[in-house]
Amino acid sequence: MRTATVTIDPLALTHNLMQAKRLAPKSKVLAMVKANAYGHGVAMILPALQQADGVGVASFTEALEARQLGWDKAIGLVEGVFSADEWQQAIDYDCSCVIHHQPQLDWALANIPSSDSATRIVWLKYNTGMNRLGFDYQQTIEAAKQLHQAAFQLILTTHFANADDRKHPLNALQIQRFDEMLALLKKTVSEDVQGSLCNSAGLVNFPEHHYDWVRPGIMLYGSSPVIDKSASELNLKPAMEFSAQIMALSTVNTGEAIGYGSRWIADKPTRTALVSIGYGDGYPRAVNDETHVCVLVKSKTEDSEKSNQSDQGYTSYLCPVRGRVAMDMIVVDVSALPEALPLDSKVVLWGNAPHVDDVAAQAGTIGYELLCRLSARPARVQTI
Ligand SMILES: *Cc1c(COP(=O)(O)O)cnc(C)c1O
């Protein structure tokens, strides 16, 4: 059987959530689970996030899924609602919404939820420099006044454009604008206005600016949110392992090319393994010739010297990908491995090693994209 598999480790998720809470001990945590929990599957990860104060989603459909799975704490719709009808649905399912433009403000003021409704809490979005969603300076003050008069509770929010790069000059400006607005609203509108600034990268890079709510996403899944530290340096554990199996073994003679476009040409006789994974599963076609996968071979003691690590009776070998990634398979160079390589040997595309952030760098993208764009084909399982 073809065995492309996405394995979710709930303990890693909980560990990463605890790491976020340790870094932001005074803030509540809105754990971001949009895009099917960054490709991990909302149903699989929600039980591991019980210690979050709420979950953040990008669409009402995602909010509904979380409610149907029994999530009874806060849900934040980070793009807010898209119509007056959807505002009513948000009320029906007790969701808190971002309000980022005038139509959303109108829908909210025309249909004020009851005093015990979570929808009474709104996330008022102030544009501090990202220049996508949000009100400008004057509009934010005006919207805050109107919402407060209509008995809404306010969380002032904004989103960083460059938090992954601690030294980027826009960070200081966004922080300053946010800080000034929050102080102004506290003074002129209500002492109770709360603040929420940080995504994962902000949470890691700007410990002085966590405010009332932090909104970690990518770090919960064990990928590094910042450019100057790896996931393991941040003590984050990958919540996903993406794996397949060797489906056939072959040998390529000197001068012969492998795969579509004949991109890679053997400069010596090369033993290859065909692995049943491809871009049809979500493995990126764009990876370069430096990309590796990890082949796990049942250990025989004499093999273990050549390997990088050995655990639970398996020896793991990093092997380079050769030639183009196809829809259903890739070819890897196993010349350095024992000749008697069992056909069912497991191949890890990303997980502990290689890390998804490494593969992303080799494919010219970011871990977020690789995680989110896995296809429906791989089987989904969890470690416990
Ligand atoms: C997705 C999202 C986050 C989480 O971002 P990460 O970089 O994954 O931590 C935080 N806030 C908002 C508004 C978002 O849309």
Side-chain angles (χ1 to χ4, degrees):
M1 199 177 70
R2 197 172 184 277
T3 57
T5 306
V6 170
T7 308
I8 303 302
D9 180 358
L11 293 177
L13 267 155
T14 304
H15 166 90
N16 297 335
L17 174 62
M18 290 306 146
Q19 192 60 11
K21 285 166 82 85
R22 260 196 295 280
L23 291 171
K26 297 194 187 122
S27 306
K28 290 187 182 175
V29 175
L30 190 76
M32 299 305 297
V33 303
K34 59 191 177 183
N36 200 23
Y38 291 51
H40 291 64
V42 172
M44 279 205 192
I45 60 92
L46 273 186
L49 297 180
Q50 289 306 315
Q51 288 161 90
D53 300 284
V55 293
V57 295
S59 75
F60 180 72
T61 313
E62 293 175 336
L64 193 58
E65 186 183 6
R67 282 284 180 251
Q68 283 166 347
L69 288 164
W71 183 263
D72 58 3
K73 293 201 249 180
I75 296 183
L77 283 163
V78 296
E79 294 181 0
V81 294
F82 289 72
S83 66
D85 287 351
E86 210 171 68
W87 175 257
Q88 180 58 49
Q89 287 180 302
I91 297 173
D92 293 344
Y93 288 89
D94 234 21
C95 303
S96 302
C97 300
V98 161
I99 292 185
H100 63 74
H101 67 165
Q102 189 66 38
Q104 291 176 332
L105 183 58
D106 296 341
W107 301 328
L109 294 172
N111 181 2
I112 298 169
S114 62
S115 58
D116 60 345
S117 166
T119 316
R120 271 280 186 106
I121 302 166
V122 292
W123 300 66
L124 179 60
K125 185 114 173 188
Y126 175 35
N127 173 21
T128 55
M130 177 72 114
N131 293 312
R132 300 188 310 184
L133 304 181
F135 294 103
D136 70 16
Y137 183 86
Q138 280 305 331
Q139 291 167 336
T140 301
I141 297 169
E142 191 50 36
K145 284 184 179 156
Q146 291 178 24
L147 286 163
H148 179 66
Q149 272 161 20
F152 284 97
Q153 293 165 49
L154 297 178
I155 303 169
L156 182 72
T157 188
T158 195
H159 197 47
F160 276 120
N162 301 280
D164 56 332
D165 177 5
R166 195 164 41 85
K167 300 202 185 85
H168 194 287
L170 192 60
N171 292 321
L173 186 60
Q174 287 195 275
I175 291 169
Q176 186 198 339
R177 287 172 172 165
F178 184 80
D179 212 46
E180 283 175 10
M181 179 61 77
L182 188 60
L184 183 70
L185 297 186
K186 278 184 189 283
K187 201 162 118 212
T188 60
V189 176
S190 163
E191 244 321 289
D192 298 331
V193 177
Q194 297 189 349
S196 176
L197 173 61
C198 291
N199 55 358
S200 302
L203 195 160
V204 169
N205 275 340
F206 303 108
E208 309 293 304
H209 300 283
H210 286 158
Y211 302 98
D212 302 277
W213 284 85
V214 290
R215 310 186 305 271
I218 195 70
M219 70 183 294
L220 300 178
Y221 305 98
S223 184
S224 172
V226 297
I227 56 173
D228 56 346
K229 287 198 189 81
S230 68
S232 66
E233 285 171 316
L234 293 168
N235 190 12
L236 300 173
K237 297 182 179 168
M240 178 193 292
E241 183 184 77
F242 188 31
S243 66
Q245 273 181 351
I246 292 178
M247 61 190 285
L249 296 165
S250 186
T251 304
V252 177
N253 295 325
T254 308
E256 293 290 322
I258 292 176
Y260 288 120
S262 303
R263 180 172 86 169
W264 189 85
I265 299 168
D267 59 4
K268 54 179 177 300
T270 302
R271 286 171 48 231
T272 58
L274 285 91
V275 182
S276 52
I277 199 82
Y279 61 79
D281 303 287
Y283 190 74
R285 183 174 178 277
V287 291
N288 63 29
D289 287 328
E290 309 307 314
T291 309
H292 288 69
V293 302
C294 188
V295 179
L296 300 185
V297 185
K298 279 207 187 71
S299 302
K300 289 198 218 93
T301 39
E302 65 268 32
D303 296 339
S304 44
E305 318 152 17
K306 278 190 190 166
S307 70
N308 298 320
Q309 47 189 295
S310 181
D311 75 281
Q312 296 165 350
Y314 286 90
T315 307
S316 64
Y317 299 85
L318 280 176
C319 301
V321 177
R322 296 300 188 211
R324 282 227 186 284
V325 172
M327 187 184 291
D328 309 311
M329 68 183 104
I330 61 173
V331 179
V332 303
D333 186 337
V334 291
S335 301
L337 273 62
E339 299 251 351
L341 197 52
L343 273 190
D344 60 357
S345 295
K346 179 170 160 183
V347 179
V348 176
L349 291 320
W350 60 70
N352 278 318
H355 193 280
V356 69
D357 293 337
D358 302 328
V359 182
Q362 277 141 355
T365 183
I366 51 177
Y368 298 74
E369 189 190 5
L370 295 192
L371 296 171
C372 285
R373 67 171 210 182
L374 287 169
S375 79
R377 185 162 67 180
R380 260 77 176 173
V381 298
Q382 60 183 55
T383 48
I384 50 166

